[in-house]
Amino acid sequence: MTPSVRASLRDLGAGGFDLLVIGGGITGAGIAREAALRGLSTALVEARDFGEGTSSRSSRLIHGGLRYLEQGRLHLVREALRERRILLRLAPHLVRPLPFILPVFKGDRVPRWKVSLGLTLYDILAAGGNVRRHRTLGKRDLQEAEPLIRERGLTGGAMYIDAQCDDARLVVAVVRAAAGQGAKVANYMRVTGLIPTVAGIRGAYLRDELSGEVGEVRGRVVVNATGPWTDTIRRLEDPNAVPLLRPTKGVHVVVPRNRIGNRNAVIFTSPVDGRVMFVLPWGAWSYIGTTDTDSPEGPDQVTVDPADVIYLLRSANALFPSARLTDSDVIASWAGLRPLLAADPQAPASAVSREHRIVRGPGGLFTIAGGKLTTWRSMAAQTTDQLVKALGHHRHSRGRAASETEPLPGGETAMLDGFRGPGLELGLGEATVDHLLSHVGAETPAIYKLCRERPDLAEPLHPEHPAVGAEVVFAAEREFAIRAEDVLSRRLHLTTETRDHGEAARAKVERILAETLAARRPDPDHPAGVAPAPE
Ligand SMILES: Cc1cc2nc3c(=O)[nH]c(=O)nc-3n(C[C@H](O)[C@H](O)[C@H](O)COP(=O)(O)OP(=O)(O)OC[C@H]3O[C@@H](n4cnc5c(N)ncnc54)[C@H](O)[C@@H]3O)c2cc1C
């Protein structure tokens, strides 16, 4: 596996591409991978770090969506369950089966028989792609599975399996896969304008957010995949563009798992307002989410309100009464904007997917709006079909199906047990070995190699966390990490998995990152050292 190199302005300006993708969240990354797999010359630019937008702020679920089932939108559920099956195969280290408990209480809007019926349908729609069929639970079985759930009114419930995913790492893996297929990819590369020609939009003006330099990139087709920033980019093409989105804010809080005592993921109805919510396990932590509110904040300012925290804790406390969580239990939180489609009364229902839409602006700019983490691959395939058509050629390297079978980096095998012994022999702790297997999967030997060459890199970065120094080198060499924040937040999650938000590791991360980048990039325009925060 060759190191991943961030494309410079020079690389991007050097030649015209078939396709320019704006936005390096899961949607843009997926399109870049799909297009590159089909043989299109592709450039992907992201204004900040890959995944720094909504795609690192989700509930981290790869799921069919029981809510859609209740609404009768069976085709959406079927599509998402199909994608769940594919992703469990493409990246088994990042996308893992997760057992859910669904408790039912007396007087609940959805009674137990209906839950059972719904989950039977969910199993059927998974069409053999299930990890295991659901199980209906009597009260006692449910209490055995989740002993601390409120007993008052409990009638039983069900257990079913969905999947959980490291969202931020998934984005980086997909970007790496695109680069591995020849796409030029650059984080910290902002689109500041679109290049109009008589034939339509043919590229974009760029600003390198690290050096301040400006330049441009040419693309025969340009796709806007900027999540909650979608309408901002559309207005660069058409200042009067009617907004496609009505984003809503979602907040999660992280608490020590032993403060709640949940053994599984739990899906429940908030007694505060009847909304469906989750308590989700994440190693030693649990995160509770999510809210769903209209927000006056734009995507650059989205923050966690104290009222959001109170709502989430009150809801979790009602389900797990012995927890008595207070805000002093919250070690971290995150907020994101869902790029939801605004209703479009003019469009015929059959032509509009309520999930995502692909539209073309007056200058030919493609925009993909809406969607979810779970369905990124199928959204990418549908978008690329249209891009290929617009380009007027059908140059496929391996055709559409390749994206269903080509593993993501680290996902080459699900048989990771064999990697355990060598790590333990190196003196790494069990927690570190487990952490490596779930972060870099089949690439774990590359981390071992670094630890062997430089034993200081086998040291933990933080007293509360299993990550080791070699992962910082790996993040800089292969995962496009440039700033300490990229490593602390999105490559290693130290900001949400330690009580001091990773501060105890910061100096070490900065030092290793600076050394690695200096060794890789002797370019005076891009001074080594930790990059300054972009404006
Ligand atoms: C609270 C919450 C929970 C969720 N939970 C789930 C879940 O459990 N499962 C699920 O399937 N889905 C979930 N979703 C939905 C899912 O997270 C999003 O649909 C998905 O991440 C959107 O990805 P995206 O790439 O479209 O947008 P983003 O990830 O926001 O990416 C857009 C990118 O465009 C970049 N950009 C913006 N302007 C420019 C510019 N001028 N130049 C270059 N780049 C630019 C941004 O920096 C950003 O990185 C959740 C969403 C939220 C908010």
Side-chain angles (χ1 to χ4, degrees), residues 23 25-27 46-47 54-55 59 61 191 226-228 338 371-374:
I26 194 63
T27 308
E46 160 57 49
T54 303
S55 297
S59 303
L61 296 178
V191 166
T226 52
R338 294 180 187 82
K372 55 185 196 165
L373 189 73
T374 304

Side-chain angles (χ1 to χ4, degrees), residues 22-29 45-63 167 171 189-192 225-229 233 236 248-252 278 290-291 334-339 368 370-375 379:
I22 309 172
I26 194 63
T27 308
V45 292
E46 160 57 49
R48 304 189 289 172
D49 184 25
F50 293 122
E52 191 171 339
T54 303
S55 297
S56 56
R57 297 149 194 264
S58 78
S59 303
R60 303 173 174 168
L61 296 178
I62 300 295
H63 59 163
D167 54 5
V171 177
M189 195 66 82
R190 179 178 295 275
V191 166
T192 55
T226 52
W229 289 268
I233 297 292
L236 295 177
T248 66
K249 181 163 87 167
V251 171
H252 291 83
F278 302 106
T290 169
T291 60
W334 63 83
L337 281 190
R338 294 180 187 82
I368 172 147
K372 55 185 196 165
L373 189 73
T374 304
T375 48
M379 287 160 60

Side-chain angles (χ1 to χ4, degrees), residues 147-159:
L148 299 179
I149 274 187
R150 188 180 86 224
E151 189 175 4
R152 188 167 39 85
L154 184 67
T155 59
M159 174 183 259

